[in-house]
Amino acid sequence: QALQMSTLGVEGEGIWLALGTIGMLLGMVYFMAKGWDVQDPEEEEFYVITILIAGIAAASYLSMFFGFGLTEVELVDGTVLDIYWARYADWLFTTPLLLLDIGLLAGASRRDLATLVTIDAFMIVTGLAATLMKIPVARYAFWTISTIAMLFVLYYLVVTVGEAAADADEDTQSTFNVLRNIILVAWAIYPVAWLVGTEGLGLVGLYGETLLFMILDLFAKIGFGFILLRSRAIVGGDSAPT
Ligand code: RET
Ligand code: DD9
Ligand code: DD9
């Protein structure tokens, strides 16, 4: 019973956690193999960051699969929620790394990168607070704060980082546009998934929610990394003449 609880999950969602682990590991191995011979230090930086993103996610997924990253939160009305907290540990590190990837590609300033990463970390920490609160109105209040922070992140990415990218060469601009669109579409679904899922209104159960997060996580990390590392834009950094 204990083994079944830990590896299949509460509603059989363990299958999606297993697939998530495998997907992240495959992505990581692919990025490592592709980056093996890279010599250029600026190009290498993109590989290191992107491999780290996949590795952190693989560790997080594996911990959730084994039931380590799972806890219970009891609300004031007695409802007990099953919470995969390990996601937040993953996101706290990987969302700043994703922003670093696209920010470095665009040639954004250190100051703009620091601003972006700070608001992003605030978004994840307030999202975790929303998830762990016992009073429903407090949960939605923190969800709202976190979602506002996300809108700032997306705005800053489009406007400020976008301005930096506009000065770059054509390869960089087109890669930036694709990666920016991946972030705009994928990231915006996370707060909706939280809201309709078990942490919020409970319209979708843990099984469906875990599947949705797995697809989003693979798209936002591995799909993103795949496009970034295949692009000519990362060769020789942003200073390469075309
Ligand atoms: C939460 C809940 C509270 C409101 C908001 C959220 C946003 C989460 C985001 C996560 C992005 C994760 C990524 C992972 C990559 O694999 C915390 C769900 C706004 C935007 C890109
Ligand atoms: C074995 C525990 C892993 C939990 C979280 C993911 C890693 C974040 C650095
Ligand atoms: C190696 C490329 C993988 C792309 C993953 C997209 C996943 C969507 C479910």
Side-chain angles (χ1 to χ4, degrees):
Q1 173 72 15
L3 181 72
Q4 185 174 330
M5 278 297 288
S6 65
T7 56
L8 291 182
V10 181
E11 291 179 15
E13 73 282 4
I15 179 70
W16 308 132
L17 298 172
L19 279 177
T21 308
I22 292 167
M24 293 301 173
L25 283 176
L26 285 178
M28 184 180 78
V29 168
Y30 172 77
F31 298 152
M32 288 174 83
K34 188 166 162 29
W36 207 254
D37 294 325
V38 170
Q39 303 291 336
D40 177 74
E42 290 186 50
E43 187 180 356
E44 204 172 29
E45 204 174 0
F46 289 107
Y47 277 91
V48 171
I49 295 169
T50 310
I51 290 165
L52 200 55
I53 290 169
I56 291 171
S60 164
Y61 264 93
L62 194 63
S63 85
M64 292 192 284
F65 175 73
F66 285 120
F68 169 83
L70 180 65
T71 190
E72 287 183 346
V73 171
E74 187 178 349
L75 304 189
V76 281
D77 66 2
T79 317
V80 175
L81 300 179
D82 294 295
I83 299 294
Y84 281 107
W85 61 268
R87 300 190 179 293
Y88 297 83
D90 168 338
W91 296 345
L92 184 61
F93 294 99
T94 58
T95 55
L97 289 170
L98 287 164
L99 293 173
L100 199 59
D101 254 346
I102 192 170
L104 288 173
L105 175 76
S109 67
R110 294 278 145 184
R111 195 178 155 277
D112 287 337
L113 288 179
T115 305
L116 201 56
V117 164
T118 305
I119 307 173
D120 175 85
F122 179 80
M123 170 189 86
I124 299 300
V125 171
T126 51
L128 177 63
T131 305
L132 297 179
M133 293 277 153
K134 290 168 173 293
I135 304 171
V137 66
R139 300 176 67 84
Y140 294 113
F142 273 94
W143 177 89
T144 305
I145 293 169
S146 178
T147 300
I148 291 170
M150 184 192 74
L151 295 175
F152 272 97
V153 168
L154 298 183
Y155 174 84
Y156 209 81
L157 180 67
V158 171
V159 176
T160 309
V161 182
E163 266 169 27
D167 296 332
D169 60 81
E170 249 177 63
D171 275 339
T172 303
Q173 286 190 31
S174 70
T175 305
F176 173 81
N177 287 340
V178 175
L179 296 179
R180 180 203 58 201
N181 293 344
I182 288 179
I183 292 181
L184 286 179
V185 173
W187 289 35
I189 301 176
Y190 282 86
V192 180
W194 189 101
L195 197 62
V196 299
T198 55
E199 293 93 336
L201 302 170
L203 305 177
V204 176
L206 205 51
Y207 185 82
E209 184 182 352
T210 307
L211 169 63
L212 179 56
F213 274 135
M214 183 213 44
I215 292 170
L216 287 174
D217 284 347
L218 283 176
F219 181 60
K221 288 188 170 85
I222 306 302
F224 178 100
F226 195 73
I227 288 166
L228 175 69
L229 299 182
R230 281 179 62 106
S231 164
R232 272 181 299 155
I234 63 166
V235 180
D238 54 24
S239 52
T242 42

